[in-house]
Amino acid sequence: MIKSMTGYGRARQMLHQRDITVEVRAVNNRYLDCTVKMPRAFLFAEDAMKRRVQEAVSRGKVDVFVTVDATAADTVQVAVNAPLAESYLRALRLLMDQSRNFLLPDTLLPVGDSELWKGASPFAVARTLAGYPDVLSVTKAETDLEGVEADLCAVLDEALENFNAMRAQEGKKLAEDLANRLDAVERYTAQVEARSPETVAEYREKLLRRMREALRGVTVDEQRILAEAAIYADKTAVDEETVRLRSHVSQLRGLLTSNAPQGRRMDFLIQEINREANTIGSKCADVSIARVVVELKAEVEKMREQAQNVE
């Protein structure tokens, strides 16, 4: 069944502590034009997501919106600059050794290595060293780019599935409408086929009547009348046009049941139907046929508008 070019699909999943939401929207367009809007930190997955869209959609203006809440997935690592901490510790010991003979103001207590570190636990020493610049550094853990890309594409696949389901539903209604209009085209074609021979007979009778009125008392040459009627019939014959019309209608019916994108072929066939209708209108001077052609072209125009929505 044909699909509409317009549609909307949305999916949301929690994958590897990332809350990922993907929305897909599409409107009519002659070719495929895909745009992916996502946080800058995840732009590395843009090309992969566009490829997924190209596999699922043949034409249309497709916009993909991606939002990612990765707060829970952000992990940090604390690194210890051991050489720097050791240098700080050596500097402190050297400073204490040099100040061993100094006396604190108003006291007689020496400031020496044994007195300063006496009873100090390893945790206290570590906490003291951690307060110095650059001993500890905090960095974010490296992101698994391939894993994140796979997660984003997985959510996109679900959104595209919902998107295509909506397009298929709209395509079903488009197919029903187009099928009804094809029925109307066939009815109008049948009316033209039925009326066309009558116009030739009416022209023959009209021509005979006029010649009899103009040539009163003179025998009318029936062969001449038949020749004129034959010429008129040849000029106004629309058999070829009606045969092609029915052929185009049959092909369009086949396209309506196809699962492959058929929008461009439908555009072409509808143009051909319109061309045949114009030819019939130009050949036939009959008022009743002209009215039928007007109705026929009105249906073709409505079909053209609907076909603009077909993928």
Side-chain angles (χ1 to χ4, degrees):
M1 186 65 68
I2 60 174
K3 293 186 179 71
S4 171
M5 273 193 286
T6 60
Y8 173 80
R10 184 179 186 274
R12 180 179 180 182
Q13 294 185 34
M14 179 67 76
L15 298 175
H16 299 97
Q17 297 182 320
R18 294 183 183 89
D19 187 1
I20 304 173
T21 302
V22 178
E23 294 179 279
V24 181
R25 302 175 185 175
V27 295
N28 299 352
N29 199 51
R30 188 174 182 182
Y31 303 103
L32 176 61
D33 181 11
C34 179
T35 303
V36 179
K37 299 179 180 180
M38 60 198 309
R40 183 178 297 274
F42 300 94
L43 286 178
F44 59 87
E46 181 178 1
D47 290 340
M49 299 186 77
K50 283 186 176 181
R51 288 194 296 269
R52 294 295 180 95
V53 173
Q54 291 172 354
E55 293 172 359
V57 184
S58 64
R59 68 171 184 161
K61 177 67 174 67
V62 183
D63 290 317
V64 180
F65 301 92
V66 182
T67 57
V68 182
D69 183 0
T71 305
D74 289 339
T75 57
V76 296
Q77 296 177 339
V78 180
V80 178
N81 191 337
L84 181 61
E86 186 176 353
S87 296
Y88 276 125
L89 186 58
R90 286 198 301 269
L92 288 173
R93 286 174 176 170
L94 178 61
L95 182 61
M96 288 185 293
D97 289 341
Q98 292 178 351
S99 61
R100 184 179 300 276
N101 298 322
F102 294 168
L103 296 178
L104 293 175
D106 301 329
T107 68
L108 296 176
L109 296 176
V111 181
D113 181 44
S114 59
E115 287 80 4
L116 182 64
W117 297 102
K118 185 178 181 180
S121 66
F123 177 76
V125 176
R127 186 174 60 183
T128 300
L129 292 175
Y132 291 100
D134 300 327
V135 173
L136 299 180
S137 60
V138 180
T139 59
K140 285 189 175 182
E142 186 175 351
T143 303
D144 180 9
L145 300 183
E146 293 184 359
V148 175
E149 180 180 294
D151 290 345
L152 292 173
C153 289
V155 182
L156 174 62
D157 289 340
E158 182 182 348
L160 286 172
E161 184 177 350
N162 297 332
F163 168 72
N164 281 328
M166 181 176 179
R167 292 200 305 147
Q169 184 177 0
E170 292 189 6
K172 181 179 179 181
K173 295 188 178 298
L174 285 174
E176 292 174 355
D177 183 75
L178 287 170
N180 292 333
R181 300 196 182 282
L182 289 174
D183 291 339
V185 170
E186 287 185 322
R187 288 196 303 270
Y188 294 134
T189 303
Q191 293 177 21
V192 171
E193 290 172 334
R195 178 59 184 165
S196 182
E198 295 177 358
T199 61
V200 177
E202 291 176 359
Y203 175 78
R204 180 179 178 280
E205 293 298 328
K206 184 188 297 183
L207 181 62
L208 182 59
R209 184 173 60 253
R210 288 180 178 178
M211 291 185 69
R212 284 174 177 172
E213 291 176 355
L215 303 172
R216 294 181 183 275
V218 180
T219 302
V220 177
D221 186 357
E222 289 291 339
Q223 293 301 321
R224 182 61 181 273
I225 297 297
L226 291 175
E228 290 292 337
I231 294 173
Y232 176 80
D234 184 63
K235 289 182 178 179
T236 60
V238 292
D239 296 345
E240 295 181 3
E241 286 75 15
T242 56
V243 169
R244 286 194 292 266
L245 263 176
R246 291 189 178 277
S247 174
H248 297 330
V249 169
S250 176
Q251 292 182 65
L252 274 171
R253 288 192 186 279
L255 297 182
L256 294 179
T257 59
S258 174
N259 292 325
Q262 301 291 354
R264 294 179 183 175
R265 294 186 63 185
M266 293 179 66
D267 288 340
F268 172 76
L269 288 173
I270 291 173
Q271 288 177 8
E272 292 301 306
I273 291 176
N274 188 64
R275 183 177 290 109
E276 303 301 340
N278 287 332
T279 304
I280 293 173
S282 63
K283 279 188 173 184
C284 297
D286 183 69
V287 175
S288 59
I289 291 182
R291 291 174 180 172
V292 173
V293 170
V294 170
E295 296 296 330
L296 174 59
K297 293 183 67 175
E299 290 296 331
V300 173
E301 186 59 31
K302 293 175 183 177
M303 290 172 56
R304 189 202 304 275
E305 293 176 359
Q306 291 290 48
Q308 298 300 317
N309 299 318
V310 178
E311 181 184 17

